Amino acid sequence: FSSRRRHTRYIGDWSSDVCSSDLPASVPNSMPRRGALLLAAGFLFAILFANVAGSPARADDYPSRPIRVVVGFGPGAVADVILRVMTVRMSQVLGQQVVVENRPGAGSNLGAEYVARAPKDGYTLLMCTVAQTINPAVKDLSFDFGKDLAPITLVANAPQILVAHPSFKANNVRELIAIAKASPDGVPYASSGAGTMSHLSGVLFNSAAGIRLIQIPYPGSAQSMTDVLAGRVPLMFGPAATVWGNVREGKLKALAVTQPKRASIAPEVPTMAEEGVEGYSAGIWMGLLAPAGTPPEIVDKLSRAANEALTSKEVLTLMEKQGVDALGGTPAEFAKFIDDELKKWQKIGRAHV
């Protein structure tokens, strides 16, 4: 190397020469050329390593470490219970441990926002619920659920049942609609609070059937259930697993399930569509998502693992006990489902909350 030759100062030029006359003043000119070359090589290696470490995750060696799945509810919630059984099978399929992390708060928005801001490498996922498509319609959020998260798989649906106190005259939805249309002041129904699923299910029913049910909000589902059981309020929308025991004991009567298909926990109860309310759907669904920008190959690998878990006997048995129906499907199918849900609740929520 010539001692007169200048070093070209930009990163990535592997043909640049380095010589002692170009070294910083703190490095003696007597330093051997070999030492200077080693110093330069070390610098370039550090740059190369940083670039590799910051590069997007590759699907062919994914996963190479444990995966976290965040759920926005506390331990014992239906989504948490189902997820913990699913992750056992997913760990076996993926060859790495899949662990559950509870981040409850703000109507499950804290967990969703945390995952939306996480690295796009497939190692931080979200178990979301219908709440994530309702929340943008009733409150201002610091992230965009539809854009900041990538759908993986629609996991399951926990159906709701529209129930009535035994003293209420209607024994089915058609009779309820007739009573509501003949009641100028409307028919009251209990909810667990404004903007909750039990509230907006009634709002959606009003819109679809052209009737007027009047929400009576309570601090929570336990309080609303107490008053419906006592006959102080005639109607409520409740999770099938919660209300079905009271229906079987004759303390409540089931009018319809709120999803397009009959519920496995209550196969004898008709759907809203079967009762003449076309297009009505208000189930409590759950699904897996990753941060938007996660490589599609990794999303597909996670989707395959989740779908395989949904066929395992352990998962299906637990879901049956929880009154939940297993679903599954592709990322594209889940993306369309989320888009439809966001549009539906946006239309309903902003106008009535």
Side-chain angles (χ1 to χ4, degrees):
F1 295 100
S2 170
S3 62
R4 300 291 184 182
R5 195 169 178 182
R6 301 292 300 172
H7 168 51
T8 306
R9 299 187 180 274
Y10 60 91
I11 298 172
D13 181 8
W14 285 83
S15 64
S16 297
D17 293 330
V18 179
C19 64
S20 60
S21 62
D22 294 314
L23 296 175
S26 59
V27 179
N29 282 338
S30 60
M31 180 179 183
R33 287 197 181 98
R34 182 180 178 185
L37 289 171
L38 288 173
L39 179 64
F43 172 75
L44 291 174
F45 177 79
I47 295 297
L48 177 61
F49 179 80
N51 288 339
V52 170
S55 63
R58 290 167 43 195
D60 55 357
D61 57 3
Y62 173 88
S64 59
R65 54 187 170 88
I67 300 167
R68 288 184 302 159
V69 186
V70 173
V71 59
F73 302 92
V78 174
D80 172 78
V81 172
I82 290 172
L83 179 60
R84 289 183 185 278
V85 177
M86 279 189 65
T87 54
V88 173
R89 180 59 184 148
M90 289 181 67
S91 298
Q92 295 169 348
V93 174
L94 293 169
Q96 285 286 344
Q97 188 177 16
V98 182
V99 298
V100 177
E101 180 177 321
N102 299 94
R103 284 182 173 261
S108 73
N109 285 328
L110 290 182
E113 182 177 5
Y114 176 80
V115 176
R117 305 286 186 241
K120 314 171 193 302
D121 55 10
Y123 290 99
T124 306
L125 310 178
L126 174 70
M127 177 68 146
C128 78
T129 71
V130 63
Q132 266 67 60
T133 53
I134 291 178
N135 288 338
V138 298
K139 60 184 71 174
D140 294 324
L141 304 177
S142 60
F143 69 103
D144 189 326
F145 178 75
K147 295 180 179 178
D148 294 339
L149 291 152
I152 296 172
T153 299
L154 180 59
V155 170
N157 183 68
Q160 293 189 108
I161 299 180
L162 171 58
V163 294
H165 187 267
S167 64
F168 189 62
K169 293 181 179 180
N171 293 309
N172 55 57
V173 168
R174 295 178 191 274
E175 293 177 359
L176 168 58
I177 291 173
I179 291 172
K181 287 185 175 180
S183 304
D185 296 330
V187 177
Y189 74 102
S191 85
S192 55
T196 62
M197 192 64 176
S198 57
H199 168 214
L200 294 181
S201 296
V203 174
L204 186 63
F205 185 32
N206 285 343
S207 176
I211 60 173
R212 186 166 179 245
L213 300 185
I214 307 298
Q215 178 207 196
I216 308 297
Y218 288 81
S221 57
Q223 295 92 331
S224 60
M225 174 70 81
T226 297
D227 271 13
V228 174
L229 287 170
R232 288 186 282 270
V233 183
L235 302 167
M236 73 175 289
F237 294 84
T242 301
V243 303
W244 190 239
N246 288 309
V247 171
R248 287 186 299 183
E249 294 174 5
K251 297 177 182 179
L252 296 172
K253 52 186 177 182
L255 304 186
V257 295
T258 65
Q259 62 183 25
K261 295 170 60 179
R262 292 196 179 200
S264 59
I265 192 175
E268 64 269 41
V269 180
T271 67
M272 285 283 197
E274 290 174 321
E275 288 290 300
V277 187
E278 295 292 336
Y280 185 93
S281 178
I284 306 172
W285 55 264
M286 293 154 266
L288 282 174
L289 300 99
T294 301
E297 298 83 1
I298 289 178
V299 171
D300 289 340
K301 184 175 286 190
L302 288 166
S303 182
R304 290 193 297 271
N307 277 284
E308 184 165 339
L310 289 171
T311 66
S312 73
K313 182 179 179 181
E314 293 79 9
V315 173
L316 293 175
T317 299
L318 175 71
M319 286 189 175
E320 183 179 354
K321 290 180 180 179
Q322 294 286 331
V324 175
D325 297 327
L327 295 176
T330 67
E333 290 168 343
F334 190 20
K336 183 181 184 307
F337 177 85
I338 287 176
D339 185 60
D340 291 343
E341 287 283 290
L342 286 168
K343 290 176 181 176
K344 175 177 69 180
W345 295 120
Q346 187 72 28
K347 179 180 177 181
I348 296 295
R350 288 294 185 187
H352 296 89
V353 178

